[in-house]
Every structure is written in structure tokens, then in C-alpha cells.
């Protein structure tokens, strides 16, 4: 038997490949599926099942494409409904894979169809659980994504408590826990950077598994302090229910090299958004006017999903040479399938063609300190509310990048603003959005709060985020 965790750090997502004899299954596959097909081929196996722990909201899963390419059966848990061919399993249903068995445990709470898959090895021993968003390392899934008129987040949290106590915590301590996400995902609020653990250790360290915890305490702690979900979550979940365009077609359309004139025409006449995916240091030195920066080396897909509100938005992009396919792939993972191509030759080609360019003033933390000492500056902190509450530059304004589209009216374009985040990535994203809306008198503070904290700039007293209410 082979168990392989295939972890994608930029999405904080874990997919799983399990093989016994010449049969394999994939659990929670990513959108691009060729690597799974190739892995099974190399191992002489046939992919028999595709197990989905739930309708993922933070990425478009590859189940539909993978089923078409392999003939494998897609399996969801009880209560799921799909617009494509799938098997809706029952609680306790057992699936044979080679010499091992995989048992479906219906574990509603994160969503109502959420299920955990229990692997039983050749000796009949309960070996591992693939827990989706029911149980993370250090946390459990947020219970607010499937709220309906007759189902509150407290109701869902109550279901989650019962699922954990009745289906998960009854398993042996040495069962391995393989979750769908780790630290950095918005599907929980306190996830560990570890990507797997034993159930016994989780009993000792995971606040949600305390033996003496009442349901009322669980509901209160799990629902407290949840940030609103990113806008693309509901849209990705719908794509995972209803199906989507073939990844091969998305890649063929999105990776077309465009000359400068065609690129410009798509932006001007077809309403395509110009997305600049280079490093922030390149963007501040020079960029195409009105382009939006979201660097490929940061949390690219989640920020695209949070900030570009229309999944069907036509997109053309700039990328470092050789990374064009990566950009299209990562856009498609969160449902942005309408990419129309990239600028051949990049920003250098744009400049060589004599086109207009723009730039963003960017200063060191030391220069920021010098200016703070000489004048009263207007400062925007674009970090998350919790980061701001924990510690910030005195007199700075909280302007979280997550909610920039709903707070745009709070910025006066006649003022000059100094923009900072934690490390210098989000501040450039925020500045690019502000500039695209006609607010140009901006200064980016390099290295963000990390750099600022090394200067003498006055900041508020630090408050541990875990004590904030």
C-alpha cells in the first residue's frame, strides 16, 4: 500500500494518492490532473475512485476532468447533489481498493455533505483518516460557509461537534490524520503549519478536541472571531457542484503570446484586466498604467479570488519569462478560466514600443521614519484587522486589503498616502488598485511593518491576537 500526500503550499491544500495492488484513488485533487494520471501510470495502477471530502470553496477541484480522463467514479458524501455523474455514498459505505478498504464516515458540520474517509489496511487495521475540512491539525473547519435560511453557523457548529465526538474521536490514537488544508488557508482560523499528525496527539493539542469540552463551549469557540469568507468561495463551491470547462481548453486559451498592439487592444476594447504577476520590486519601478499587481510569488490565487470579483473577467497578464503556464494554472485553480494570453516580451516589449508607463514611489523604512519625523503623514495599514489590532503605526488608518473594494470611498484622492503591510507585498497590491481608481499620490513602504518595527517609529503597544475579542 502506498499513501502519498501531495501538498500545494500556495493554496495550503493537501491532495492524496493511495494505491494498493494495481488500483489507486485520489482524494481532493487539484484542478490540473495530468500529474495524477501520470503517477498512476508510472506505478502500473488504474485510478478507480475520486473521493471528494466536500464541495470545496477555496479552489476548483479536478474531479470532473480526472473522471473524464480516467473513467474513475467520483464519490461524494450523503446529501450531496451534482450536475455530473457521481456516486453519492452512504454513511459507513465501504469501497474496496486493491487489498485495502476505504470507509465513508459522514461528518457534517463544515458543510452538510462533508465526509471523512477512513483507510483500513490489509490487516484490517484502521490506519488513517482523510478528514477534509472536518478536522485540521490544530483546528477544525469553519462552520459558516453553508449557512442557509434554516441552518445557522451555530447549527453547523453543533453538527461538527457531534461528528467529531461520534465519528472521529472514537478511533484509535495511532490513526494518522491527513487534512485538506494547513496554515494559510482561510478554511479555518488556527491551523498548524504541520500537514499531518496522529489522532492521539491532536487529542492532546487541538483545542476543539478537549475531552471535557461541552457542545456549548465548542460552538462558542469555533464560531468566535471568524472573518467573512472571501467573495470567491461560494462561486468555487458552485463550480465544484455543477462542473466546469476542461483544464486543457483553459490552458490552450490562456497561454497565447500576444504582441503589444493585440495586448493593448484586448485591454482597451475588450475590457480585459491587465494583471501584472512579476515581483513587487519590478512593478514599483515600472508598469503598464492601470494594471493590477498580484505577484505570483505571494499568495497569488487567494488574492486574485478575493479581489477580482467576476470569475468570468477577461484577463491578460505579464509574467516572468517561462512562468506563463504557471500563472494560467494558478488562476484556473480558483475558477478564473477566461485568461486570454500574455504580453510576449513582457514589460520590456511594452517600453520598446513607446507605450505609456507608470511607476510607484517606494521608500525604505528608514526614509519613512525620516519623513514621519518631519511632517504629519497620512498612513494606510492594509493588513488584516487582527494584525492591525495587535500592533500598528500610531495614527495610521486601518484599510484592509481584503475589503478594499468596499472601503474605496474612504480615501481622498487629494491627499498623499503612505501604504504599508506586513512585508511589502500586500501594500503594492493595494497601491496598484488605488492607482487604477485614479488615486496616484501614494508611497509604498518597503518591508512593511517588519521593517518599520526596526526603526524608531512610534507604534501601539503589542496585544496578543489570541486575547483580542
Amino acid at each position: 500500500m502506498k499513501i502519498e500526500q501531495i501538498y500545494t503550499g500556495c493554496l495550503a491544500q493537501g491532495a492524496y494518492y493511495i494505491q494498493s495492488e494495481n488500483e489507486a484513488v485520489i482524494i481532493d485533487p487539484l484542478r490540473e490532473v495530468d500529474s495524477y494520471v501520470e503517477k498512476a501510470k508510472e506505478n502500473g495502477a488504474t485510478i478507480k475512485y475520486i473521493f471528494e471530502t466536500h464541495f470545496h470553496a477555496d479552489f476548483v477541484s479536478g474531479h470532473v476532468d480526472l473522471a473524464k480522463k480516467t473513467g474513475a467514479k467520483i464519490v461524494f458524501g450523503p446529501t450531496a447533489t451534482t450536475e455530473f455523474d457521481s456516486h453519492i455514498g452512504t454513511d459507513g459505505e465501504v469501497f474496496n481498493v486493491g487489498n485495502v478498504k476505504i470507509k465513508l464516515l459522514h461528518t457534517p458540520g463544515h458543510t452538510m455533505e462533508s465526509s471523512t474517509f477512513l483507510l483500513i489496511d490489509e490487516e484490517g487495521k484502521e490506519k488513517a483518516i482523510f478528514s477534509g475540512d472536518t478536522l485540521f491539525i490544530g483546528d477544525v473547519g469553519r462552520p459558516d460557509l453553508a449557512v442557509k435560511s434554516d441552518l445557522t453557523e451555530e447549527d453547523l457548529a453543533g453538527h461538527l461537534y457531534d461528528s467529531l465526538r461520534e465519528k472521529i474521536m472514537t478511533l484509535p490514537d495511532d490513526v494518522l490524520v491527513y487534512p485538506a488544508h494547513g496554515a494559510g488557508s482561510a478554511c479555518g482560523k488556527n491551523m498548524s503549519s504541520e500537514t499531518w499528525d496522529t489522532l492521539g496527539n491532536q487529542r492532546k493539542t487541538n483545542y476543539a478536541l478537549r475531552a471535557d469540552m461541552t457542545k456549548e463551549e465548542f460552538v462558542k469557540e469555533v464560531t468566535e472571531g471568524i472573518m467573512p469568507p472571501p467573495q470567491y468561495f461560494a462561486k468555487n463551491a458552485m463550480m465544484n457542484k455543477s462542473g466546469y470547462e476542461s483544464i486543457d481548453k483553459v490552458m490552450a486559451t490562456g497561454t497565447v503570446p500576444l504582441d503589444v498592439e493585440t495586448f493593448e487592444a484586448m485591454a482597451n476594447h475588450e475590457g480585459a484586466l491587465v494583471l501584472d504577476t512579476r515581483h513587487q520590486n519590478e512593478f514599483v519601478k515600472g508598469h503598464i498604467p492601470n494594471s493590477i499587481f498580484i505577484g505570483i510569488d505571494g499568495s497569488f490565487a487567494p488574492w486574485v479570488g478575493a479581489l477580482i470579483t467576476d470569475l468570468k473577467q477577461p484577463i491578460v497578464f505579464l509574467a516572468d519569462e517561462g512562468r506563463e503556464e504557471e500563472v494560467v494554472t494558478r488562476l484556473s485553480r480558483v475558477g478564473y478560466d477566461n485568461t486570454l494570453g500574455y504580453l510576449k516580451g513582457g514589460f520590456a516589449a511594452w517600453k520598446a514600443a513607446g507605450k505609456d508607463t507608470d511607476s510607484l514611489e517606494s521608500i525604505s523604512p528608514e526614509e519613512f521614519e525620516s519623513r514621519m519625523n518631519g511632517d504629519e503623514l497620512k498612513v494606510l495599514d492594509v493588513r488584516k484587522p487582527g494584525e492591525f489590532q495587535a500592533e500598528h503605526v500610531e495614527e495610521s488608518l486601518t484599510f484592509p486589503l481584503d475589503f478594499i473594494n468596499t472601503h474605496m470611498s474612504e480615501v481622498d484622492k487629494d491627499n498623499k498616502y503612505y501604504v504599508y503591510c506586513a512585508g511589502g507585498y500586500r501594500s503594492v497590491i493595494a497601491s496598484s488598485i488605488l492607482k487604477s481608481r485614479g488615486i496616484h499620490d501614494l508611497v509604498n513602504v518597503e518591508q512593511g511593518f517588519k521593517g518599520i518595527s526596526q526603526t524608531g517609529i512610534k507604534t501601539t503597544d503589542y496585544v496578543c491576537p489570541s486575547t483580542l475579542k
Side-chain angles (χ1 to χ4, degrees):
M1 178 179 61
K2 176 195 289 280
I3 304 173
E4 184 175 347
Q5 182 183 58
I6 306 167
Y7 200 78
T8 303
C10 59
L11 279 181
Q13 191 268 350
Y16 297 92
Y17 176 90
I18 302 166
Q19 181 177 337
S20 175
E21 298 295 306
N22 61 350
E23 293 184 335
V25 304
I26 307 293
I27 300 177
D28 295 337
L30 279 185
R31 179 80 182 269
E32 66 277 18
V33 298
D34 285 348
S35 62
Y36 308 127
V37 177
E38 189 61 30
K39 186 183 292 293
K41 184 179 178 182
E42 289 174 357
N43 291 324
T46 299
I47 298 176
K48 186 176 183 180
Y49 294 113
I50 304 157
F51 293 117
E52 290 283 359
T53 55
H54 63 295
F55 290 119
H56 305 283
D58 58 321
F59 71 99
V60 179
S61 183
H63 52 296
V64 176
D65 266 345
L66 187 56
K68 288 178 180 175
K69 292 190 175 190
T70 64
K73 179 64 74 178
I74 301 169
V75 179
F76 279 95
T79 77
T81 57
T82 69
E83 295 180 19
F84 45 82
D85 184 39
S86 64
H87 175 82
I88 306 303
T90 57
D91 187 26
E93 185 171 352
V94 174
F95 301 85
N96 294 308
V97 180
N99 291 331
V100 304
K101 299 180 186 301
I102 295 180
K103 186 176 183 180
L104 189 156
L105 306 177
H106 187 209
T107 49
H110 173 63
T111 61
M112 287 309 290
E113 80 285 355
S114 281
S115 295
T116 294
F117 293 96
L118 170 64
L119 174 63
I120 301 168
D121 70 13
E122 299 89 339
E123 309 301 322
K125 177 178 168 53
E126 294 170 328
K127 178 75 175 178
I129 53 171
F130 302 87
S131 54
D133 288 19
T134 296
L135 176 61
F136 297 128
I137 307 306
D139 203 353
V140 292
R142 56 191 297 168
D144 62 320
L145 300 183
V147 170
K148 298 176 181 174
S149 59
D150 61 342
L151 201 60
T152 67
E153 65 181 40
E154 286 76 16
D155 294 332
L156 286 159
H159 282 298
L160 186 56
Y161 178 88
D162 293 337
S163 293
L164 290 166
R165 263 63 187 174
E166 296 169 6
K167 302 288 180 62
I168 304 294
M169 294 175 70
T170 53
L171 296 170
D173 276 349
D174 61 353
V175 163
L176 301 172
V177 179
Y178 290 114
H181 292 294
S185 166
C187 293
K189 58 183 181 181
N190 191 36
M191 282 181 255
S192 166
S193 58
E194 301 297 325
T195 60
W196 62 276
D197 197 1
T198 62
L199 183 57
N201 197 45
Q202 282 303 292
R203 285 188 218 276
K204 297 175 185 173
T205 59
N206 189 325
Y207 76 97
L209 301 190
R210 292 199 311 268
D212 61 349
M213 194 178 207
T214 66
K215 181 182 281 192
E216 290 71 24
E217 289 172 335
F218 178 88
V219 170
K220 182 175 185 297
E221 292 189 36
V222 167
T223 57
E224 197 170 66
I226 299 177
M227 292 276 287
Q231 62 86 28
Y232 68 104
F233 269 31
K235 299 168 185 174
N236 277 194
M238 185 55 65
M239 290 177 74
N240 285 322
K241 281 185 183 180
S242 59
Y244 42 74
E245 185 61 81
S246 158
I247 185 67
D248 294 337
K249 185 175 181 181
V250 172
M251 294 301 296
T253 306
T255 54
V256 174
L258 305 171
D259 60 43
V260 171
E261 298 303 326
T262 306
F263 186 89
E264 185 177 37
M266 285 190 168
N268 291 338
H269 305 305
E270 296 188 25
L273 182 148
V274 178
L275 182 63
D276 195 323
T277 68
R278 300 174 297 159
H279 192 278
Q280 61 263 32
N281 292 348
E282 297 301 314
F283 183 87
V284 300
K285 286 189 287 188
H287 57 265
I288 296 173
N290 297 320
S291 58
I292 300 298
F293 164 79
I294 304 179
I296 193 72
D297 288 327
S299 295
F300 175 72
W303 281 119
V304 168
L307 298 170
I308 301 176
T309 55
D310 182 4
L311 261 64
K312 299 185 184 305
Q313 167 68 51
I315 294 172
V316 291
F317 66 94
L318 290 87
D320 293 327
E321 186 174 358
R323 303 190 71 179
E324 297 86 359
E325 286 191 12
E326 180 184 356
V327 170
V328 179
T329 298
R330 291 172 66 176
L331 286 169
S332 71
R333 285 178 182 167
V334 283
Y336 293 82
D337 290 355
N338 200 13
T339 306
L340 303 177
Y342 66 91
L343 179 59
K344 185 179 181 181
F347 187 63
W350 183 266
K351 286 197 297 183
K355 301 295 183 181
D356 290 342
T357 64
D358 200 353
S359 61
L360 172 65
E361 184 180 2
S362 191
I363 62 174
S364 68
E366 292 75 21
E367 174 62 18
F368 182 47
E369 179 182 23
S370 175
R371 297 189 192 187
M372 287 283 282
N373 290 333
D375 203 354
E376 187 173 320
L377 308 182
K378 292 190 176 301
V379 181
L380 298 181
D381 182 326
V382 301
R383 297 176 300 164
K384 294 179 183 296
E387 294 175 279
F388 180 83
Q389 290 167 27
E391 192 176 15
H392 57 267
V393 173
E394 286 190 353
E395 307 301 325
S396 61
L397 304 172
T398 179
F399 194 71
L401 177 59
D402 302 69
F403 312 112
I404 192 169
N405 289 314
T406 55
H407 293 278
M408 194 63 70
S409 62
E410 296 170 12
V411 179
D412 183 349
K413 66 180 180 181
D414 294 327
N415 284 327
K416 186 185 191 79
Y417 290 98
Y418 289 77
V419 187
Y420 77 86
C421 60
Y425 176 75
R426 285 176 284 176
S427 59
V428 178
I429 297 176
S431 296
S432 74
I433 294 172
L434 289 167
K435 286 174 74 66
S436 74
R437 308 286 175 86
I439 301 163
H440 290 283
D441 204 357
L442 303 168
V443 181
N444 175 60
V445 181
E446 298 166 358
Q447 302 173 44
F449 196 79
K450 181 179 179 183
I452 290 169
S453 63
Q454 303 301 310
T455 70
I457 294 172
K458 291 182 179 178
T459 60
T460 58
D461 292 337
Y462 177 73
V463 179
C464 178
S466 64
T467 66
L468 291 170
K469 299 293 183 184

